[in-house]
């Protein structure tokens, strides 16, 4: 998925005529979902971001409902609490909420693969305002499913659709994924998540902190 907000771009990337649009950035800018909040004189790039909290919440609601049709009423309040727990480092509580939230997502055939959940988590975290989030991050020994940096902490996520949280965490340690971020000199939290293929939500998770 394309990142929304929190990015630098040249005018040609966000002010293109409708008939020449190749990405969603011009559409979001021209509709007011993105606004200019800064300018880099060295590169000629503008910093685009979502204008305010109200627009962010509205955008998050509309896009999540598009991405997960039939989502249950009340799920958005769960997502809001999820944001607060991640922001303040309460990861176990955040994953409990994530488990509840995903259980409200209607089942479809295309949810039976790991990439679906990876993309869904990326969409949720990005729309909540966690811009320093990426998927399939390369390391010397493999790829980390997802990396999120928030509050001076780096969170490494390994997801297993046909495996346990313990197996996911073991993979992080076996391939020494934290080494990829050693130069940032920040604490790392390793998170292994196992998914339940019947309930289509988190089955279990394991958290390990590394200072």
């Amino acid at each position: 998925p394309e990142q929304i907000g929190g990015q630098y771009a040249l005018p040609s990337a966000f002010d293109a005529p409708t008939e020449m649009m190749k990405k969603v950035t011009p559409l979001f800018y021209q509709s007011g979902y993105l606004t200019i909040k800064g300018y880099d004189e060295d590169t000629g790039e503008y910093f685009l971001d979502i204008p305010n909290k109200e627009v962010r919440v509205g955008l998050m609601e509309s896009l999540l409902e598009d991405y997960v049709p039939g989502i249950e009423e009340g799920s958005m309040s769960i997502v809001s609490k999820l944001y607060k727990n991640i922001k303040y480092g309460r990861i176990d509580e955040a994953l409990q909420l994530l488990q509840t939230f995903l259980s409200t997502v209607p089942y479809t055939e295309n949810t039976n693969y790991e990439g679906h959940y990876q993309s869904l988590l990326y969409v949720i975290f990005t729309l909540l305002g966690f811009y320093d989030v990426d998927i399939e991050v390369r390391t010397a020994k493999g790829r980390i499913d997802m990396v999120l940096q928030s509050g001076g902490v780096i969170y490494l996520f390994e997801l297993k659709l046909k495996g346990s949280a313990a197996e996911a965490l073991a993979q992080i340690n076996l391939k020494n994924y934290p080494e990829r971020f050693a130069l940032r000199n920040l604490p790392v939290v390793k998170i292994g998540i196992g998914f339940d293929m019947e309930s289509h939500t988190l089955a279990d998770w394991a958290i390990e902190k590394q200072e």
Side-chain angles (χ1 to χ4, degrees):
E2 186 174 340
Q3 179 173 319
I4 302 169
Q7 59 181 310
Y8 281 93
L10 292 168
S12 57
F14 63 88
D15 203 19
T18 305
E19 65 274 10
M20 297 179 63
M21 288 184 185
K22 296 181 179 179
K23 295 187 176 183
V24 299
T25 301
L27 179 62
F28 281 118
Y29 173 71
Q30 293 172 23
S31 61
Y33 284 114
L34 289 176
T35 189
I36 296 173
K37 289 199 171 183
Y39 177 70
D40 188 327
E41 294 184 358
D42 294 329
T43 64
E45 294 177 307
Y46 291 87
F47 184 70
L48 303 177
D49 205 357
I50 298 172
N52 52 51
K53 180 181 178 181
E54 289 73 24
V55 173
R56 181 181 301 283
V57 171
L59 184 59
M60 180 174 62
E61 289 178 342
S62 61
L63 288 186
L64 274 180
E65 288 175 359
D66 248 358
Y67 192 78
V68 284
I71 192 170
E72 290 184 7
E73 189 176 352
S75 295
M76 292 310 301
S77 65
I78 295 175
V79 175
S80 297
K81 292 175 183 176
L82 173 64
Y83 165 77
K84 291 180 182 178
N85 281 322
I86 294 174
K87 180 180 179 180
Y88 295 109
R90 301 189 292 261
I91 299 304
D92 188 66
E93 291 90 335
L95 293 175
Q96 291 178 39
L97 288 169
L98 186 58
Q99 183 183 53
T100 301
F101 173 73
L102 292 180
S103 70
T104 69
V105 177
Y107 167 75
T108 57
E109 293 296 334
N110 69 346
T111 61
N112 282 330
Y113 69 101
E114 192 174 290
H116 168 81
Y117 296 99
Q118 187 184 57
S119 296
L120 182 55
L121 295 190
Y122 177 86
V123 168
I124 293 171
F125 291 154
T126 301
L127 288 177
L128 284 174
F130 296 109
Y131 294 135
D132 201 348
V133 57
D134 204 357
I135 58 175
E136 295 293 328
V137 178
R138 292 180 180 272
T139 74
K141 297 182 179 180
R143 294 182 182 181
I144 311 170
D145 283 337
M146 188 166 65
V147 178
L148 167 68
Q149 183 173 324
S150 172
V153 179
I154 298 172
Y155 299 96
L156 308 183
F157 292 81
E158 185 65 28
L159 314 178
K160 293 291 182 185
L161 186 58
K162 296 180 180 179
S164 68
E167 291 172 327
L169 186 60
Q171 180 174 325
I172 295 175
N173 289 324
L174 178 65
K175 297 191 176 183
N176 196 19
Y177 288 156
E179 184 180 35
R180 164 75 165 72
F181 307 94
L183 294 179
R184 295 195 191 183
N185 198 29
L186 292 173
V188 171
V189 175
K190 297 171 284 187
I191 304 168
I193 297 177
F195 286 92
D196 187 324
M197 291 189 65
E198 292 187 5
S199 62
H200 306 285
T201 187
L202 280 67
D204 60 352
W205 56 86
I207 303 170
E208 187 177 289
K209 296 182 180 180
Q210 177 174 309
E211 297 297 331

